Amino acid sequence: MMDAPSRNQSHPPCPPWVVQNGWSSDAPAGPLCNPLSDLQQLSLGCEPSQNLSYNHLQASGVYSKSDVAAFSTRSNSHPSMQYVCKVDQSIPDGLSPTIQERNKPPCSLPYNEAAQPMQHYSPPNAYQAVDPSSYSQHTYRSLLNQPPAQHPLPVSFSCVEPQLNHNQHLASDGGNSGSFVGFNDMLTSPSAPIQQQPLWSFAAFSKGSINDFVPTASPLDHNLTPQSPNSESRYGLNPELLPSVVKVMAEDRAEWDGKVFISEHFSRLPPLATTSCVIEDRGNVSPLAIRSITYCVPCDGQTALLSRLPLGALVTPFFNQNECLKPIPLCEHTDCVVGCRWCGASMCPAMGWQDCGQRFYCPFCGKLNEVPWQQYQPTKGAKGVRVDKDKRPELSMGSYETLNSEKGEAAALLLAIDVSASALRGGHLEFVAQQIHTLLTSLVRGGVCREAGDSSSDLRVGLMTYDSRIHLYDLSPDLSRPHMLVIAETEDMQLPVREGLLVSLKDCIESIDSVLQLIPQFGAECSDSSGLSIELPVKAGLAVLQGLKCPGKLLIFHTAALIETGHTNSSSGFFGTNKPKSIFQPSEKAISLAKECIIQGCGVHMFVLSQQDVGGAWPGHIPFLTGGALHTYSYLQGELDRERFSTDLKRIVETETAYKAELRIFVSKDLRVSGCYGLFVPGSNPGHIAMATLNCRTTLAVELTHSKALDETRGAAVQVVLSYTSQTGERRTRVQTLTLRCSRHLQDTFRNYQAETLLTFYCKKMYCAVLERPLQELRKELQTDVTEALASYRKHCCSSSVSAGQLVLPQFLRALPVYVNGLRKSEVLLPGLRSSVHQRLQQRCRVLGLDTRSTVRHFYPLLLPLLPSVDSSSPPDPEGALRCTSSNLDSSGLYLVHAPFTVLLWVGTQVPAGTLVELFNASCFSSLPSGETNLPALENCLSIRVRSLISSLNSDVPYARKLVVVKQGDTCEEALQRHLVEDKSPNGGASYADFLYHLHVNSVRLLL
């Protein structure tokens, strides 16, 4: 592990003969059994008297010519997809002969020769299907050093000769058929004079010395400068020369600027998820809906295992169609050609027509289907295309919708307001009632609740209040005033009436208004000193929707202290190593209630309007498991909280939502769905998922494995069928199909991975696994998978021989190390000293609900300079982002940090006084307030442009945010340091440069 534990994490006591890093100071150096050992076990420090050098990637011995690993290569006419860093490898002179004779691999990891390879044990996971044929880690290690058995790659062995090159910059390797980018340094013998000191360097390990590696971030430096220790590498690596996320994104934007991505059968690699691009559907689904992890699937399972990277797809079934060239076509279900009668897959362009159109081949089950005579049309051409292909969306489009004949009840909006003693004392109920009234009035006047003038499609609204009892309101328009119905028996809840509980908004707006005006005047009839149950308002709202047999959204406005009834999981040992997983697990009662909401199509959104106790129950499990969310405020006393509350309330009500969603996933007959990860209650079949509600951001990660070898000519296919109820009660089915190429060559698979997609997949898988597995094990597994993937690419896919000092990365995975490092040191997987339980639970669920673009922004925020040094009058450009490191922060500048849940404005100490006046209306830096604030609306160019930029960024995030001003040197600067992901993090996470260094070192060791 590369991350230091927090102060509260426990460690087993060390024997007296073991040094602080866990290894004996007298133990001989040797090859590692486990190449991914904890960085606390590294001895890579240097004595003050030693000269730093990075010439050998080892500290325990000399690496001679004969020790250089031979790498298998394969001739390829395609452009190279590699990113290579060549590292200077001069050898220090002070090594003893004994050490020089060892010829150890190029790293300094101490190891125990008697140890055996460690296998990861994964307990049963509800999100995964059990695969009895899965390979162990020992099996993978044996496969790594040989090409795939069924389809071996051409292999040639060669030794890398030392090259004298004193240039330390990005250069091109002329020996490669493609473009190698790397760092070229000097490789010398031990006796050769050192003519140039390399930038990347470390000292050799001296026997008997103690060189402890302590990866914790040093005490927070509250004066971030380019020379801040948080941005420096322990090994002297220059972070500016490492692969850059910002550069990768800029290159992709430049490539697709002004272009249209055409999604065709077996389409090529799409633009990155962070690149805005118009997409045209020509028989393959848009990557906005289904984004494959790799767009070239290995033909057999052994090749897939050898890559050490996952197979699967990211599915956003209800995606936003704004970036599509045309909207998804809608057709009647009876008018569409019937799909496969064997497996249930819907008709799509992936079906193969035979016998002049009388039969079609289903790629999802491999069987032939007869076409009903009513839907028969002949085929034409050698490919057997039906003559009516262009007239039928199911034959020509990757995405289409069908409208079922059955129609259910329209979705409703149910409001539940806490009127307990705590809520009445808080003084915020009047504001809540006013905001609800304003929103409902705007819906009536704006016609949002009506569709095409059809009165049957009016939004139905219900209202209830609660303390320890439930108060329902009969809002029938026939009554002169609303009637309150009190339910005191809440265990076995029975509705006294059903009529009038949900009424069309246009008919009950006045009745609701009269009740809202009276709510702040209620008297406290019951004491809530012991708190209220989380399940109470959910059970009441669910009973109303069940009684009227309709789906809907349940909005709960809660204030009192929360308690959780029934069995709960203990939080003891959360920061220890015994059972950290229990904190993330919801109670059995919460899961049971969430399942009832899923059946009914009830999405719960909870607004917690008070500061809950740290030790209290967390109310977010049921909302997030039903497609809703949890929003927290502090009694709505401040103007910022009130603005955020109003924005969140309006966004929830107006967001287009699918209710009672049922998701079925079909894959090629030689593949199977082995796991599905996201915010839902997992069932027995990972390919069949039920959800109460979902919106345009809801994204699931689907993992695939081979059951047999794929046919390279047929390719692979993935189909996602979403059946849902619309706001108006229509039952619709959305069919989305993706076809992918297959290849027998491992290099083709690596070329078609994207780092952003892998990050999102890893994030969802790891954040779901925290329910069952220890955090340390997950961090280690994540590092292991990436290291072994780099080793596999280095051995089997390099198109020219490379030395051990060269960092080799696939072109589209250049940003993967920084993404993985950001995921490993996130607050969910690596808690910090100031991380509360509720904050981590909230962050986990929020991140699991993000789409790919927002997930990338969460783990690598946007760092924007607001005062360009060349022309301070030019507007801030979101595309002119900087790398997330403190070395890019200039004390004379202003910088905006944009993440899905955070927006920070960093102000340097040397910002001109005129700029402070224009933006903050503050005369000097000392008078500038820090913390949560709103920028004053000033009539000058800088103020208008910055406020416009922040408003534009806020419109693209799922939650309303408060602007936080961070002054250089202020105590709240730690909030900024958590978002500078390339630096050491406050919770002990390693910097990007150090993590990349160890990924490279350990990947090289695997091949020796």
Side-chain angles (χ1 to χ4, degrees):
M1 298 301 303
M2 291 212 50
D3 307 311
S6 61
R7 188 177 304 169
N8 295 338
Q9 287 181 295
S10 60
H11 293 279
C14 296
W17 51 269
V18 178
V19 297
Q20 181 179 351
N21 60 6
W23 296 91
S24 170
S25 59
D26 297 326
L32 263 184
C33 166
N34 178 13
L36 299 167
S37 56
D38 201 322
L39 276 193
Q40 296 181 84
Q41 301 168 347
L42 299 183
S43 299
L44 299 180
C46 62
E47 299 295 334
S49 60
Q50 291 177 321
N51 293 327
L52 296 178
S53 65
Y54 186 62
N55 299 10
H56 210 241
L57 286 176
Q58 66 170 349
S60 58
V62 175
Y63 190 45
S64 62
K65 294 182 185 180
S66 60
D67 298 321
V68 179
F71 301 95
S72 63
T73 61
R74 181 170 71 89
S75 58
N76 195 345
S77 59
H78 297 284
S80 173
M81 299 293 183
Q82 299 169 358
Y83 190 94
V84 181
C85 293
K86 295 184 179 180
V87 183
D88 186 0
Q89 295 195 346
S90 60
I91 308 300
D93 298 327
L95 296 179
S96 64
T98 303
I99 297 178
Q100 294 183 12
E101 292 173 358
R102 286 176 181 161
N103 293 333
K104 298 303 177 187
C107 65
S108 60
L109 305 178
Y111 109 106
N112 183 0
E113 295 190 14
Q116 297 298 324
M118 181 183 66
Q119 298 186 10
H120 291 293
Y121 168 72
S122 300
N125 188 344
Y127 294 87
Q128 279 186 299
V130 178
D131 182 11
S133 62
S134 60
Y135 290 95
S136 66
Q137 185 177 354
H138 177 73
T139 306
Y140 168 76
R141 297 285 173 79
S142 63
L143 288 174
L144 183 63
N145 292 291
Q146 64 181 1
Q150 295 182 358
H151 310 290
L153 297 173
V155 178
S156 62
F157 296 93
S158 60
C159 293
V160 180
E161 294 296 333
Q163 299 292 330
L164 292 177
N165 191 341
H166 303 292
N167 298 326
Q168 186 146 0
H169 56 81
L170 295 178
S172 174
D173 187 346
N176 182 25
S177 60
S179 168
F180 277 82
V181 182
F183 307 101
N184 300 331
D185 294 314
M186 176 177 57
L187 178 63
T188 65
S189 64
S191 60
I194 300 178
Q195 301 181 9
Q196 178 178 349
Q197 185 70 24
L199 261 178
W200 297 8
S201 58
F202 71 95
F205 174 75
S206 300
K207 184 176 180 180
S209 65
I210 299 177
N211 301 313
D212 298 326
F213 178 78
V214 184
T216 48
S218 56
L220 293 178
D221 183 3
H222 297 296
N223 188 20
L224 288 178
T225 63
Q227 291 76 32
S228 173
N230 292 326
S231 62
E232 295 177 355
S233 169
R234 289 185 55 86
Y235 312 110
L237 279 70
N238 185 353
E240 293 299 324
L241 299 180
L242 301 181
S244 168
V245 173
V246 174
K247 182 179 179 181
V248 170
M249 293 182 180
E251 291 174 352
D252 196 70
R253 282 196 305 267
E255 180 181 354
W256 292 102
D257 184 27
K259 298 179 182 178
V260 177
F261 174 74
I262 299 176
S263 185
E264 298 177 306
H265 191 58
F266 294 163
S267 64
R268 54 179 174 150
L269 204 63
L272 295 178
T274 52
T275 300
S276 297
C277 178
V278 178
I279 299 172
E280 181 179 355
D281 184 347
R282 290 190 185 177
N284 227 13
V285 69
S286 166
L288 299 176
I290 304 178
R291 184 176 288 269
S292 179
I293 298 179
T294 177
Y295 277 77
C296 185
V297 181
C299 285
D300 58 274
Q302 189 177 15
T303 305
L305 178 69
L306 195 61
S307 72
R308 202 54 179 174
L309 293 176
L311 294 178
L314 302 176
V315 179
T316 311
F318 206 64
F319 72 100
N320 192 341
Q321 305 179 39
N322 292 339
E323 294 186 26
C324 295
L325 194 61
K326 298 178 182 178
I328 296 179
L330 177 64
C331 51
E332 294 289 339
H333 178 72
T334 55
D335 296 338
C336 294
V337 179
V338 179
C340 180
R341 64 185 178 90
W342 301 101
C343 65
S346 300
M347 180 56 61
C348 63
M351 303 291 187
W353 296 95
Q354 299 180 7
D355 299 335
C356 297
Q358 299 182 45
R359 299 177 183 85
F360 66 87
Y361 171 83
C362 176
F364 306 107
C365 63
K367 296 183 179 180
L368 291 176
N369 291 263
E370 297 286 342
V371 179
W373 65 269
Q374 299 91 338
Q375 298 175 337
Y376 169 76
Q377 287 291 333
T379 57
K380 62 179 180 179
K383 295 183 179 180
V385 180
R386 279 182 45 139
V387 295
D388 61 344
K389 173 184 175 181
D390 296 334
K391 299 178 182 179
R392 289 186 174 272
E394 67 270 25
L395 301 179
S396 59
M397 303 287 289
S399 298
Y400 69 94
E401 273 193 0
T402 61
L403 181 62
N404 298 346
S405 57
E406 61 184 50
K407 185 172 182 179
E409 293 289 336
L413 177 64
L414 188 56
L415 308 172
I417 304 176
D418 178 8
V419 292
S420 61
S422 298
L424 296 174
R425 289 193 304 265
H428 57 272
L429 287 182
E430 183 177 356
F431 174 76
V432 172
Q434 178 186 357
Q435 291 301 311
I436 293 175
H437 170 71
T438 302
L439 175 63
L440 296 180
T441 303
S442 65
L443 293 179
V444 173
R445 293 177 180 177
V448 177
C449 60
R450 293 189 297 274
E451 184 175 318
D454 185 6
S455 60
S456 64
S457 64
D458 289 346
L459 175 66
R460 292 188 298 171
V461 179
L463 180 64
M464 70 178 186
T465 55
Y466 66 95
D467 41 27
S468 60
R469 304 171 300 177
I470 300 297
H471 315 135
L472 300 177
Y473 296 90
D474 187 347
L475 304 174
S476 299
D478 299 335
L479 300 176
S480 59
R481 60 180 182 177
H483 290 181
M484 177 189 287
L485 309 172
V486 181
I487 302 178
E489 182 58 42
T490 59
E491 289 299 325
D492 185 16
M493 195 172 300
Q494 299 292 333
L495 296 180
V497 296
R498 288 180 174 82
E499 297 295 331
L501 297 182
L502 293 176
V503 182
S504 176
L505 179 56
K506 66 177 182 179
D507 297 330
C508 69
I509 184 65
E510 294 181 358
S511 299
I512 292 178
D513 187 25
S514 63
V515 176
L516 292 175
Q517 291 179 4
L518 294 175
I519 286 178
Q521 305 173 18
F522 281 10
E525 301 181 6
C526 302
S527 173
D528 61 350
S529 58
S530 60
L532 295 179
S533 170
I534 295 176
E535 294 85 5
L536 179 61
V538 179
K539 290 170 59 178
L542 181 60
V544 172
L545 295 178
Q546 287 175 339
L548 297 174
K549 299 180 180 179
C550 67
K553 297 177 183 177
L554 174 60
L555 274 59
I556 302 174
F557 305 91
H558 190 87
T559 304
L562 289 165
I563 60 173
E564 193 169 10
T565 59
H567 170 72
T568 58
N569 294 304
S570 173
S571 61
S572 61
F574 176 61
F575 289 102
T577 58
N578 293 331
K579 197 176 181 181
K581 60 187 180 183
S582 62
I583 282 297
F584 296 99
Q585 294 174 342
S587 66
E588 295 178 2
K589 192 167 186 178
I591 294 179
S592 176
L593 192 55
K595 289 181 178 179
E596 294 185 44
C597 293
I598 291 171
I599 295 174
Q600 189 58 36
C602 172
V604 180
H605 298 261
M606 180 169 285
F607 297 81
V608 178
L609 308 177
S610 62
Q611 191 69 36
Q612 295 292 319
D613 295 335
V614 175
W618 188 64
H621 291 300
I622 296 176
F624 282 111
L625 288 176
T626 59
L630 174 68
H631 306 266
T632 57
Y633 312 89
S634 180
Y635 292 104
L636 297 177
Q637 297 300 320
E639 186 65 27
L640 294 177
D641 270 343
R642 295 192 170 198
E643 290 181 5
R644 193 161 58 94
F645 173 82
S646 302
T647 304
D648 286 333
L649 179 61
K650 182 178 180 181
R651 184 174 295 172
I652 289 173
V653 174
E654 295 182 352
T655 297
E656 185 179 4
T657 306
Y659 301 89
K660 301 180 73 171
E662 182 181 355
L663 202 66
R664 291 174 297 159
I665 304 172
F666 301 91
V667 295
S668 296
K669 66 182 183 67
D670 298 323
L671 298 173
R672 66 181 184 88
V673 179
S674 58
C676 190
Y677 314 102
L679 275 179
F680 59 90
V681 179
S684 58
N685 182 7
H688 193 176
I689 300 164
M691 305 178 72
T693 61
L694 59 86
N695 55 38
C696 62
R697 295 182 183 272
T698 305
T699 301
L700 308 178
V702 180
E703 188 171 15
L704 306 178
T705 55
H706 287 79
S707 55
K708 294 181 181 179
L710 291 167
D711 187 351
E712 191 171 6
T713 60
R714 292 186 180 274
V718 178
Q719 184 179 92
V720 177
V721 180
L722 171 66
S723 299
Y724 69 96
T725 299
S726 67
Q727 176 69 45
T728 59
E730 296 175 338
R731 192 65 183 173
R732 297 188 177 190
T733 301
R734 180 177 293 189
V735 181
Q736 300 170 132
T737 308
L738 175 67
T739 56
L740 302 168
R741 294 186 297 109
C742 291
S743 176
R744 303 176 185 273
H745 303 296
L746 187 61
Q747 187 173 18
D748 295 334
T749 301
F750 272 108
R751 284 178 171 177
N752 287 274
Y753 277 101
Q754 286 180 332
E756 294 184 353
T757 311
L758 277 173
L759 167 67
T760 308
F761 178 87
Y762 281 135
C763 170
K764 295 186 182 297
K765 183 176 181 179
M766 294 298 166
Y767 278 18
C768 286
V770 297
L771 299 177
E772 301 292 341
R773 299 173 59 187
L775 304 182
Q776 183 179 7
E777 180 182 321
L778 294 177
R779 296 196 302 268
K780 184 173 294 186
E781 178 183 317
L782 189 61
Q783 180 178 339
T784 302
D785 289 347
V786 177
T787 303
E788 292 178 346
L790 295 183
S792 177
Y793 181 81
R794 186 184 190 94
K795 179 173 180 62
H796 297 288
C797 302
C798 288
S799 56
S800 68
S801 298
V802 292
S803 67
Q806 292 177 302
L807 171 64
V808 184
L809 296 171
Q811 179 180 358
F812 296 113
L813 297 183
R814 286 176 291 168
L816 184 60
V818 67
Y819 285 152
V820 170
N821 189 40
L823 173 59
R824 290 178 66 257
K825 63 182 182 181
S826 63
E827 293 291 331
V828 176
L829 298 182
L830 185 66
L833 296 177
R834 294 180 176 86
S835 301
S836 71
V837 173
H838 287 190
Q839 287 174 346
R840 296 181 63 203
L841 291 169
Q842 178 98 333
Q843 185 181 114
R844 171 190 174 268
C845 291
R846 282 187 168 187
V847 174
L848 274 176
L850 296 178
D851 55 10
T852 306
R853 178 181 301 178
S854 299
T855 302
V856 174
R857 282 284 172 247
H858 174 74
F859 290 103
Y860 200 93
L862 203 64
L863 179 60
L864 298 174
L866 301 183
L867 293 179
S869 57
V870 178
D871 182 8
S872 59
S873 63
S874 61
D877 183 11
E879 297 184 357
L882 303 176
R883 300 180 66 162
C884 292
T885 173
S886 59
S887 61
N888 286 326
L889 300 180
D890 187 4
S891 59
S892 62
L894 295 170
Y895 299 88
L896 189 71
V897 178
H898 161 65
F901 315 127
T902 310
V903 55
L904 304 174
L905 180 57
W906 187 81
V907 184
T909 56
Q910 305 299 323
V911 174
T915 301
L916 297 179
V917 173
E918 290 181 1
L919 191 58
F920 303 101
N921 200 20
S923 58
C924 61
F925 181 81
S926 59
S927 63
L928 178 66
S930 62
E932 300 172 352
T933 185
N934 264 342
L935 293 179
L938 304 177
E939 295 299 325
N940 60 75
C941 294
L942 179 61
S943 176
I944 294 174
R945 288 167 178 168
V946 172
R947 286 185 287 112
S948 175
L949 173 62
I950 295 176
S951 177
S952 174
L953 295 176
N954 285 338
S955 63
D956 195 37
V957 295
Y959 301 93
R961 306 175 298 179
K962 292 183 288 188
L963 176 66
V964 179
V965 174
V966 179
K967 296 170 60 178
Q968 182 179 4
D970 197 75
T971 55
C972 63
E973 206 167 32
E974 181 182 342
L976 172 68
Q977 290 178 329
R978 286 198 298 265
H979 291 84
L980 299 178
V981 295
E982 294 196 19
D983 296 344
K984 300 173 185 176
S985 59
N987 62 350
S991 66
Y992 166 43
D994 292 346
F995 180 72
L996 181 62
Y997 167 82
H998 283 275
L999 279 184
H1000 169 63
V1001 166
N1002 293 329
S1003 64
V1004 171
R1005 285 201 71 116
L1006 286 175
L1007 305 179
L1008 301 176

